[in-house]
PDB file of all heavy atoms in Angstrom:
ATOM      1  N   GLU A 278      20.221  49.727  16.253  1.00 91.00           N
ATOM      2  CA  GLU A 278      19.911  50.106  14.875  1.00 91.00           C
ATOM      3  C   GLU A 278      21.191  49.997  14.050  1.00 91.00           C
ATOM      4  O   GLU A 278      22.256  50.426  14.491  1.00 91.00           O
ATOM      5  CB  GLU A 278      19.398  51.544  14.840  1.00 91.00           C
ATOM      6  CG  GLU A 278      19.039  52.025  13.462  1.00 91.00           C
ATOM      7  CD  GLU A 278      18.526  53.462  13.474  1.00 91.00           C
ATOM      8  OE1 GLU A 278      17.885  53.859  14.460  1.00 91.00           O
ATOM      9  OE2 GLU A 278      18.782  54.174  12.485  1.00 91.00           O
ATOM     10  N   LEU A 291      24.126  51.176  16.412  1.00 91.00           N
ATOM     11  CA  LEU A 291      23.942  52.213  17.425  1.00 91.00           C
ATOM     12  C   LEU A 291      23.060  51.642  18.528  1.00 91.00           C
ATOM     13  O   LEU A 291      21.947  51.185  18.277  1.00 91.00           O
ATOM     14  CB  LEU A 291      23.291  53.457  16.817  1.00 91.00           C
ATOM     15  CG  LEU A 291      24.096  54.177  15.736  1.00 91.00           C
ATOM     16  CD1 LEU A 291      23.255  55.282  15.106  1.00 91.00           C
ATOM     17  CD2 LEU A 291      25.373  54.751  16.333  1.00 91.00           C
ATOM     18  N   MET A 292      23.593  51.662  19.757  1.00 90.00           N
ATOM     19  CA  MET A 292      22.861  51.134  20.910  1.00 90.00           C
ATOM     20  C   MET A 292      22.601  52.251  21.903  1.00 90.00           C
ATOM     21  O   MET A 292      23.451  53.132  22.090  1.00 90.00           O
ATOM     22  CB  MET A 292      23.666  50.029  21.591  1.00 90.00           C
ATOM     23  CG  MET A 292      23.946  48.838  20.710  1.00 90.00           C
ATOM     24  SD  MET A 292      24.925  47.588  21.551  1.00 90.00           S
ATOM     25  CE  MET A 292      23.742  46.979  22.701  1.00 90.00           C
ATOM     26  N   ASP A 293      21.441  52.221  22.535  1.00 87.00           N
ATOM     27  CA  ASP A 293      21.139  53.176  23.602  1.00 87.00           C
ATOM     28  C   ASP A 293      21.650  52.585  24.916  1.00 87.00           C
ATOM     29  O   ASP A 293      21.086  51.616  25.433  1.00 87.00           O
ATOM     30  CB  ASP A 293      19.635  53.436  23.692  1.00 87.00           C
ATOM     31  CG  ASP A 293      19.140  54.296  22.546  1.00 87.00           C
ATOM     32  OD1 ASP A 293      19.884  55.192  22.127  1.00 87.00           O
ATOM     33  OD2 ASP A 293      18.016  54.056  22.073  1.00 87.00           O
ATOM     34  N   ILE A 294      22.726  53.168  25.414  1.00 83.00           N
ATOM     35  CA  ILE A 294      23.305  52.711  26.674  1.00 83.00           C
ATOM     36  C   ILE A 294      23.372  53.893  27.620  1.00 83.00           C
ATOM     37  O   ILE A 294      23.991  54.914  27.311  1.00 83.00           O
ATOM     38  CB  ILE A 294      24.714  52.111  26.459  1.00 83.00           C
ATOM     39  CG1 ILE A 294      24.625  50.914  25.510  1.00 83.00           C
ATOM     40  CG2 ILE A 294      25.331  51.695  27.790  1.00 83.00           C
ATOM     41  CD1 ILE A 294      25.956  50.319  25.142  1.00 83.00           C
ATOM     42  N   MET A 295      22.720  53.791  28.752  1.00 81.00           N
ATOM     43  CA  MET A 295      22.680  54.814  29.794  1.00 81.00           C
ATOM     44  C   MET A 295      22.288  56.182  29.252  1.00 81.00           C
ATOM     45  O   MET A 295      22.923  57.194  29.530  1.00 81.00           O
ATOM     46  CB  MET A 295      24.024  54.880  30.525  1.00 81.00           C
ATOM     47  CG  MET A 295      24.309  53.610  31.282  1.00 81.00           C
ATOM     48  SD  MET A 295      25.419  53.786  32.642  1.00 81.00           S
ATOM     49  CE  MET A 295      27.006  53.758  31.877  1.00 81.00           C
ATOM     50  N   GLY A 296      21.257  56.188  28.435  1.00 81.00           N
ATOM     51  CA  GLY A 296      20.694  57.434  27.949  1.00 81.00           C
ATOM     52  C   GLY A 296      21.399  58.050  26.753  1.00 81.00           C
ATOM     53  O   GLY A 296      20.985  59.092  26.273  1.00 81.00           O
ATOM     54  N   GLY A 297      22.466  57.443  26.256  1.00 84.00           N
ATOM     55  CA  GLY A 297      23.165  57.991  25.099  1.00 84.00           C
ATOM     56  C   GLY A 297      23.385  56.922  24.050  1.00 84.00           C
ATOM     57  O   GLY A 297      23.405  55.730  24.350  1.00 84.00           O
ATOM     58  N   GLN A 298      23.548  57.340  22.802  1.00 87.00           N
ATOM     59  CA  GLN A 298      23.785  56.377  21.732  1.00 87.00           C
ATOM     60  C   GLN A 298      25.278  56.073  21.646  1.00 87.00           C
ATOM     61  O   GLN A 298      26.105  56.978  21.624  1.00 87.00           O
ATOM     62  CB  GLN A 298      23.285  56.916  20.392  1.00 87.00           C
ATOM     63  CG  GLN A 298      21.808  56.739  20.208  1.00 87.00           C
ATOM     64  CD  GLN A 298      21.429  56.776  18.738  1.00 87.00           C
ATOM     65  OE1 GLN A 298      22.103  57.371  17.925  1.00 87.00           O
ATOM     66  NE2 GLN A 298      20.330  56.126  18.422  1.00 87.00           N
ATOM     67  N   THR A 299      25.574  54.785  21.602  1.00 88.00           N
ATOM     68  CA  THR A 299      26.956  54.324  21.520  1.00 88.00           C
ATOM     69  C   THR A 299      27.123  53.506  20.255  1.00 88.00           C
ATOM     70  O   THR A 299      26.294  52.656  19.951  1.00 88.00           O
ATOM     71  CB  THR A 299      27.311  53.459  22.748  1.00 88.00           C
ATOM     72  OG1 THR A 299      27.041  54.216  23.931  1.00 88.00           O
ATOM     73  CG2 THR A 299      28.765  53.048  22.730  1.00 88.00           C
ATOM     74  N   ARG A 300      28.213  53.766  19.534  1.00 89.00           N
ATOM     75  CA  ARG A 300      28.511  53.036  18.296  1.00 89.00           C
ATOM     76  C   ARG A 300      29.315  51.795  18.665  1.00 89.00           C
ATOM     77  O   ARG A 300      30.358  51.879  19.303  1.00 89.00           O
ATOM     78  CB  ARG A 300      29.288  53.938  17.351  1.00 89.00           C
ATOM     79  CG  ARG A 300      29.473  53.375  15.977  1.00 89.00           C
ATOM     80  CD  ARG A 300      30.135  54.425  15.098  1.00 89.00           C
ATOM     81  NE  ARG A 300      30.113  54.000  13.725  1.00 89.00           N
ATOM     82  CZ  ARG A 300      31.186  53.940  12.951  1.00 89.00           C
ATOM     83  NH1 ARG A 300      32.360  54.295  13.421  1.00 89.00           N
ATOM     84  NH2 ARG A 300      31.080  53.529  11.713  1.00 89.00           N
TER      85      ARG A 300
END
Side-chain angles (χ1 to χ4, degrees):
E278 180 180 327
L291 297 173
M292 299 179 71
D293 287 324
I294 300 175
M295 295 204 279
Q298 279 202 334
T299 305
R300 189 174 190 233

